[in-house]
Amino acid sequence: KVSLKSRIQGELEWATKCILELKEIQPSALLISCAPLSVVPRLQRFALSRGIPFIYWLQDLQGRAIGELFKSKLPLLGQSLGRLAEQYEMQLLERSRFVITIAPGHASALPESVRAQRKYELLENWANIEDVPLESPTNEWAEKHGLSTTRNVIYSGTLGFKHDWTAFLHLARALRRHADARVVLVSSGGAADRIAAEAASHNLSNLIVLPFQPFSEVSKVLGAAAILIAPLGPSAGSFCVPSKVLSYHCAGRPTVLSIDPRNPAAAMLSNARSGIAVPPGDRERFSGAVLDLLADQPRCLEMGRNARRYAERTFNLSAVADRFLSILTKAGVSSSNFPIESDRPAAVQTPIAAGM
């Protein structure tokens, strides 16, 4: 996630291995999501060469994100690289048999030919609520890590270029005067290591960095939180929806999110009344929102209840399965390849392999 060179090398290696597996599987359709731009064209060429319907499940406009990232590092050259990445991504979308979008406003970002031929369909993201039952904040995981008697502000997930790493340090400083408060970062990799080192060098003992936890413990990790957080930088933009926010809703805890106000995740928090969204990069407002919630326990609890109610109402796997089968039909996939009725929910339980 941190070293650009090793990241691209790993992506290309993964693409090679994936194609070898696909040759063995011989799929009736290939649906790709959350794959880097270095991977997509190789898989698309494989599908097109064999007449396999290629369905692009568009979670993020990567060209825009790449442009924002490079502009911040190489102002002049970065702008040109960003434009090239956007054009390349549009070509990949045009060559796809069908495109799935994840928010109502995303259709306007598609190539004109895709919109004119109506080769796209909306399918909003969800989380598997059965995997994230409600947990007590004093559960076994919290006790094991010394967090059962503290008020915990937790981030759980991957850390990449889109995240505002310094927001964790800023928040830990803001919470210093609250002896019972902890900032808990559950992640692994270079970014997590860097944050841990910075916290140690600045004597921020209230910032705890833990490695990725077993999937069976995820609900307990999230349940140990008083507040769940996701600080994203400006490069996240208005398009990509952090999938962890969906799991946060299942956990029944309020979310404080820094993100572009046009992002669907910000609208979700507002509509569900389940948290607070602040502009990306505004660490003062981000920390202030966390402090305000910690000081208002009734509001904090009400937002948590709203979050769970939203998840129960919205994340219906049977309805999602029906939408998927409809989309596959429109993409030209034969219904004889569909799973049997009893298997349908299981076929769509884990829509996102790598969350934001």
mmCIF file of all heavy atoms in Angstrom, residues 274-295:
data_model
loop_
_atom_site.group_PDB
_atom_site.id
_atom_site.type_symbol
_atom_site.label_atom_id
_atom_site.label_comp_id
_atom_site.label_asym_id
_atom_site.label_seq_id
_atom_site.Cartn_x
_atom_site.Cartn_y
_atom_site.Cartn_z
ATOM 1 N N SER A 274 -26.594 8.580 11.438
ATOM 2 C CA SER A 274 -25.747 7.581 12.089
ATOM 3 C C SER A 274 -24.321 8.045 12.331
ATOM 4 O O SER A 274 -23.484 7.237 12.746
ATOM 5 C CB SER A 274 -25.716 6.314 11.225
ATOM 6 O OG SER A 274 -25.270 6.632 9.916
ATOM 7 N N GLY A 275 -24.033 9.313 12.067
ATOM 8 C CA GLY A 275 -22.677 9.776 12.289
ATOM 9 C C GLY A 275 -22.462 11.182 11.777
ATOM 10 O O GLY A 275 -23.414 11.891 11.444
ATOM 11 N N ILE A 276 -21.192 11.563 11.716
ATOM 12 C CA ILE A 276 -20.810 12.920 11.328
ATOM 13 C C ILE A 276 -19.755 12.839 10.238
ATOM 14 O O ILE A 276 -18.769 12.099 10.366
ATOM 15 C CB ILE A 276 -20.249 13.701 12.531
ATOM 16 C CG1 ILE A 276 -21.282 13.776 13.662
ATOM 17 C CG2 ILE A 276 -19.809 15.100 12.113
ATOM 18 C CD1 ILE A 276 -20.724 14.330 14.956
ATOM 19 N N ALA A 277 -19.943 13.585 9.161
ATOM 20 C CA ALA A 277 -18.948 13.680 8.086
ATOM 21 C C ALA A 277 -18.385 15.091 8.059
ATOM 22 O O ALA A 277 -19.136 16.065 8.129
ATOM 23 C CB ALA A 277 -19.572 13.325 6.742
ATOM 24 N N VAL A 278 -17.063 15.200 7.969
ATOM 25 C CA VAL A 278 -16.400 16.496 7.888
ATOM 26 C C VAL A 278 -15.539 16.513 6.630
ATOM 27 O O VAL A 278 -15.196 15.461 6.085
ATOM 28 C CB VAL A 278 -15.528 16.762 9.136
ATOM 29 C CG1 VAL A 278 -16.362 16.657 10.407
ATOM 30 C CG2 VAL A 278 -14.349 15.802 9.200
ATOM 31 N N PRO A 279 -15.186 17.688 6.120
ATOM 32 C CA PRO A 279 -14.368 17.764 4.905
ATOM 33 C C PRO A 279 -13.015 17.078 5.092
ATOM 34 O O PRO A 279 -12.436 17.114 6.184
ATOM 35 C CB PRO A 279 -14.192 19.267 4.683
ATOM 36 C CG PRO A 279 -15.335 19.898 5.408
ATOM 37 C CD PRO A 279 -15.588 19.020 6.595
ATOM 38 N N PRO A 280 -12.488 16.454 4.054
ATOM 39 C CA PRO A 280 -11.187 15.784 4.165
ATOM 40 C C PRO A 280 -10.079 16.781 4.455
ATOM 41 O O PRO A 280 -10.087 17.905 3.956
ATOM 42 C CB PRO A 280 -11.008 15.133 2.795
ATOM 43 C CG PRO A 280 -11.866 15.937 1.877
ATOM 44 C CD PRO A 280 -13.034 16.373 2.691
ATOM 45 N N GLY A 281 -9.146 16.350 5.270
ATOM 46 C CA GLY A 281 -8.002 17.197 5.595
ATOM 47 C C GLY A 281 -8.230 18.159 6.740
ATOM 48 O O GLY A 281 -7.275 18.763 7.241
ATOM 49 N N ASP A 282 -9.481 18.326 7.195
ATOM 50 C CA ASP A 282 -9.781 19.239 8.304
ATOM 51 C C ASP A 282 -9.683 18.461 9.611
ATOM 52 O O ASP A 282 -10.680 17.984 10.168
ATOM 53 C CB ASP A 282 -11.173 19.838 8.137
ATOM 54 C CG ASP A 282 -11.408 21.028 9.059
ATOM 55 O OD1 ASP A 282 -10.736 21.102 10.106
ATOM 56 O OD2 ASP A 282 -12.263 21.873 8.742
ATOM 57 N N ARG A 283 -8.465 18.332 10.114
ATOM 58 C CA ARG A 283 -8.226 17.496 11.295
ATOM 59 C C ARG A 283 -8.823 18.097 12.559
ATOM 60 O O ARG A 283 -9.191 17.377 13.482
ATOM 61 C CB ARG A 283 -6.722 17.259 11.453
ATOM 62 C CG ARG A 283 -6.133 16.559 10.229
ATOM 63 C CD ARG A 283 -4.637 16.358 10.312
ATOM 64 N NE ARG A 283 -4.143 15.879 9.011
ATOM 65 C CZ ARG A 283 -3.587 16.653 8.097
ATOM 66 N NH1 ARG A 283 -3.425 17.944 8.333
ATOM 67 N NH2 ARG A 283 -3.179 16.159 6.951
ATOM 68 N N GLU A 284 -8.910 19.430 12.605
ATOM 69 C CA GLU A 284 -9.522 20.073 13.764
ATOM 70 C C GLU A 284 -10.998 19.692 13.871
ATOM 71 O O GLU A 284 -11.487 19.332 14.950
ATOM 72 C CB GLU A 284 -9.381 21.596 13.656
ATOM 73 C CG GLU A 284 -7.972 22.121 13.833
ATOM 74 C CD GLU A 284 -7.461 21.972 15.262
ATOM 75 O OE1 GLU A 284 -8.302 21.815 16.182
ATOM 76 O OE2 GLU A 284 -6.234 22.008 15.461
ATOM 77 N N ARG A 285 -11.718 19.765 12.756
ATOM 78 C CA ARG A 285 -13.142 19.415 12.775
ATOM 79 C C ARG A 285 -13.335 17.920 12.998
ATOM 80 O O ARG A 285 -14.298 17.493 13.649
ATOM 81 C CB ARG A 285 -13.817 19.857 11.476
ATOM 82 C CG ARG A 285 -14.034 21.361 11.388
ATOM 83 C CD ARG A 285 -14.768 21.750 10.128
ATOM 84 N NE ARG A 285 -16.122 21.190 10.072
ATOM 85 C CZ ARG A 285 -16.953 21.379 9.058
ATOM 86 N NH1 ARG A 285 -16.570 22.122 8.014
ATOM 87 N NH2 ARG A 285 -18.158 20.850 9.059
ATOM 88 N N PHE A 286 -12.439 17.127 12.447
ATOM 89 C CA PHE A 286 -12.525 15.683 12.636
ATOM 90 C C PHE A 286 -12.390 15.334 14.121
ATOM 91 O O PHE A 286 -13.232 14.631 14.683
ATOM 92 C CB PHE A 286 -11.439 14.986 11.820
ATOM 93 C CG PHE A 286 -11.484 13.480 11.886
ATOM 94 C CD1 PHE A 286 -12.414 12.774 11.142
ATOM 95 C CD2 PHE A 286 -10.593 12.785 12.680
ATOM 96 C CE1 PHE A 286 -12.462 11.385 11.197
ATOM 97 C CE2 PHE A 286 -10.630 11.402 12.747
ATOM 98 C CZ PHE A 286 -11.561 10.692 12.000
ATOM 99 N N SER A 287 -11.342 15.851 14.740
ATOM 100 C CA SER A 287 -11.150 15.598 16.171
ATOM 101 C C SER A 287 -12.275 16.202 16.991
ATOM 102 O O SER A 287 -12.745 15.613 17.971
ATOM 103 C CB SER A 287 -9.800 16.164 16.633
ATOM 104 O OG SER A 287 -8.725 15.529 15.970
ATOM 105 N N GLY A 288 -12.734 17.401 16.595
ATOM 106 C CA GLY A 288 -13.823 18.053 17.311
ATOM 107 C C GLY A 288 -15.102 17.242 17.268
ATOM 108 O O GLY A 288 -15.842 17.164 18.265
ATOM 109 N N ALA A 289 -15.390 16.606 16.128
ATOM 110 C CA ALA A 289 -16.593 15.782 16.014
ATOM 111 C C ALA A 289 -16.518 14.581 16.948
ATOM 112 O O ALA A 289 -17.510 14.204 17.593
ATOM 113 C CB ALA A 289 -16.773 15.322 14.575
ATOM 114 N N VAL A 290 -15.339 13.969 17.053
ATOM 115 C CA VAL A 290 -15.161 12.844 17.971
ATOM 116 C C VAL A 290 -15.345 13.298 19.418
ATOM 117 O O VAL A 290 -16.050 12.653 20.203
ATOM 118 C CB VAL A 290 -13.769 12.201 17.778
ATOM 119 C CG1 VAL A 290 -13.502 11.159 18.862
ATOM 120 C CG2 VAL A 290 -13.654 11.572 16.395
ATOM 121 N N LEU A 291 -14.730 14.413 19.777
ATOM 122 C CA LEU A 291 -14.853 14.933 21.144
ATOM 123 C C LEU A 291 -16.305 15.273 21.490
ATOM 124 O O LEU A 291 -16.776 14.994 22.598
ATOM 125 C CB LEU A 291 -13.965 16.168 21.303
ATOM 126 C CG LEU A 291 -12.455 15.901 21.368
ATOM 127 C CD1 LEU A 291 -11.677 17.194 21.166
ATOM 128 C CD2 LEU A 291 -12.083 15.273 22.708
ATOM 129 N N ASP A 292 -17.009 15.866 20.529
ATOM 130 C CA ASP A 292 -18.417 16.220 20.772
ATOM 131 C C ASP A 292 -19.257 14.977 21.052
ATOM 132 O O ASP A 292 -20.112 14.981 21.955
ATOM 133 C CB ASP A 292 -18.994 16.973 19.575
ATOM 134 C CG ASP A 292 -18.449 18.388 19.450
ATOM 135 O OD1 ASP A 292 -17.853 18.881 20.425
ATOM 136 O OD2 ASP A 292 -18.620 18.989 18.366
ATOM 137 N N LEU A 293 -19.031 13.922 20.294
ATOM 138 C CA LEU A 293 -19.804 12.702 20.506
ATOM 139 C C LEU A 293 -19.449 12.039 21.840
ATOM 140 O O LEU A 293 -20.331 11.539 22.547
ATOM 141 C CB LEU A 293 -19.570 11.721 19.365
ATOM 142 C CG LEU A 293 -20.377 11.943 18.091
ATOM 143 C CD1 LEU A 293 -20.059 10.872 17.051
ATOM 144 C CD2 LEU A 293 -21.871 11.928 18.381
ATOM 145 N N LEU A 294 -18.165 12.020 22.174
ATOM 146 C CA LEU A 294 -17.761 11.425 23.454
ATOM 147 C C LEU A 294 -18.374 12.172 24.636
ATOM 148 O O LEU A 294 -18.651 11.579 25.685
ATOM 149 C CB LEU A 294 -16.232 11.417 23.577
ATOM 150 C CG LEU A 294 -15.478 10.389 22.728
ATOM 151 C CD1 LEU A 294 -13.970 10.570 22.905
ATOM 152 C CD2 LEU A 294 -15.879 8.957 23.091
ATOM 153 N N ALA A 295 -18.601 13.468 24.447
ATOM 154 C CA ALA A 295 -19.179 14.280 25.524
ATOM 155 C C ALA A 295 -20.701 14.195 25.565
ATOM 156 O O ALA A 295 -21.324 14.710 26.506
ATOM 157 C CB ALA A 295 -18.749 15.739 25.357
#
